[in-house]
Amino acid sequence: MINFQYSRAADVADAVRQLAAEPGAKFIAGGTNLIDLMKEDVERPARLIDISRLPLKTVEETADGGLRIGALVPNSDLAYHPKIAQHYPILASAILAGASAQLRNMASTGGNLLQRTRCHYFYDTVTPCNKREPGSGCSARNGLNRMHAILGASQQCVATHPSDMCVALAALDAKVHVTGRSGERAIALLDFHRLPGTTPQRDTNLGADEIVTAIGLPPRGFAKHYSYLKIRDRLSYAFALVSVAAALEFDGGAIKEARLALGGVAHKPWRDAKAEAMLRGRQATRDAFTRAADALLRDAKGLAHNAFKIELARRAIVRALTQAALGTPQSQSDKKIR
Ligand SMILES: Cc1cc2nc3c(=O)[nH]c(=O)nc-3n(C[C@H](O)[C@H](O)[C@H](O)COP(=O)(O)OP(=O)(O)OC[C@H]3O[C@@H](n4cnc5c(N)ncnc54)[C@H](O)[C@@H]3O)c2cc1C
Ligand code: SF4
């Protein structure tokens, strides 16, 4: 039995104060990831600060026509929220591709951002893992690495970020609103998660005294032409081998704006400005989509068991872009583009 303290935060300022006061304290929201990690002895927080009753459970319109999503909005409420379903269906689709209905009822928006990798060595405390125990080594690099990264990995860590929701948020140019002792700030979602480099123990750029309070969505929702395609071993209750959030906007017959984010391939949701730029001004053709996929994957590297992900990602990108272009987000792409 490992002892820990438990307290409730009265408000956001109190949550920040409690976190700063006790090194080793952690917030708990839905608990669907943190409690598992505690049971497996991966995380040993000295104190759990319960933030689940803080008033961060609303979805509100912002002055610029976007949305502000409270950090404690449950994943299921968010996916079925009328404004998300209507204006940001790519986000609803990504959330519903994750976990199970029961888990989505418990899981919070903030907790989803901060869930930890599903690398099995990270959970297995008898094996070396630089993320769990810096300097101990990486068991996955030369071990069972079928689920692991093909982009942005380092010698120290080849883990992937497991969230589906974050992949759609990356495509939408979302912002993460946080509060700490020195006040509030907003971090672009693409800068929120980190690549492993030499510090794989740090998943994000959230400060040690900061709490996530909200996610900001800009007005552009790509509701007409989008697709979230998740390729996994089972149709439900499995993490992505590769996932693709593809969103397009057209001007006449030409692509005016393109967004492409990948999940399951790196330590963070992966976007590539060059690949997206290659699509702007082009017609929606298989050739254009294949070129963008090749550009996005130009630096991809396979390990012993996951090299198949490179071709899988290439095909998934082309299919997701095709589905987005046709306005049939969940189809099997029976209809063909040129
Ligand atoms: C069996 C299973 C299958 C799953 N499958 C998928 C899947 O396919 N796709 C997918 O995307 N996810 C999947 N998940 C993960 C699930 O989405 C996450 O566990 C969930 O989103 C975490 O949210 P939570 O509120 O329960 O977080 P918690 O477990 O409460 O917290 C997780 C971490 O976030 C921190 N935290 C929480 N809220 C805040 C905040 N506001 N500010 C700062 N720190 C905070 C906590 O301190 C903790 O470190 C699965 C989980 C399980 C158990
Ligand atoms: S890939 Fe990362 S999380 Fe997995 S064993 Fe290596 S260091 Fe640990």
Side-chain angles (χ1 to χ4, degrees), residues 131 149 151-154 157 159 190-205 265-270:
K131 187 181 278 299
L151 286 161
S154 70
C157 181
L190 275 178
D191 299 329
F192 185 75
H193 299 100
R194 297 162 59 95
L195 288 179
T198 55
T199 53
Q201 68 276 17
R202 286 195 64 195
D203 292 345
T204 71
N205 287 316
V265 297
H267 204 254
K268 57 186 286 187
W270 194 265

Side-chain angles (χ1 to χ4, degrees), residues 117-123 127-133 136-142 144-145 148-149 154-160 196 200-201 203 267 303:
T117 185
R118 292 282 159 172
C119 170
H120 17 265
Y121 299 107
F122 177 65
Y123 277 78
T127 58
C129 169
N130 287 325
K131 187 181 278 299
R132 179 170 25 79
E133 201 183 326
S136 62
C138 172
S139 299
R141 183 158 263 287
N142 296 310
L144 295 174
N145 46 38
H148 290 71
S154 70
Q155 276 303 320
Q156 280 78 3
C157 181
V158 292
T160 57
Q201 68 276 17
D203 292 345
H267 204 254
L303 300 160

Side-chain angles (χ1 to χ4, degrees), residues 41-60:
D41 202 18
V42 178
E43 301 252 21
R44 287 177 166 230
R47 172 181 295 275
L48 288 183
I49 305 164
D50 187 346
I51 56 170
S52 64
R53 297 181 190 204
L54 295 185
L56 303 172
K57 293 184 178 163
T58 54
V59 178
E60 286 160 13

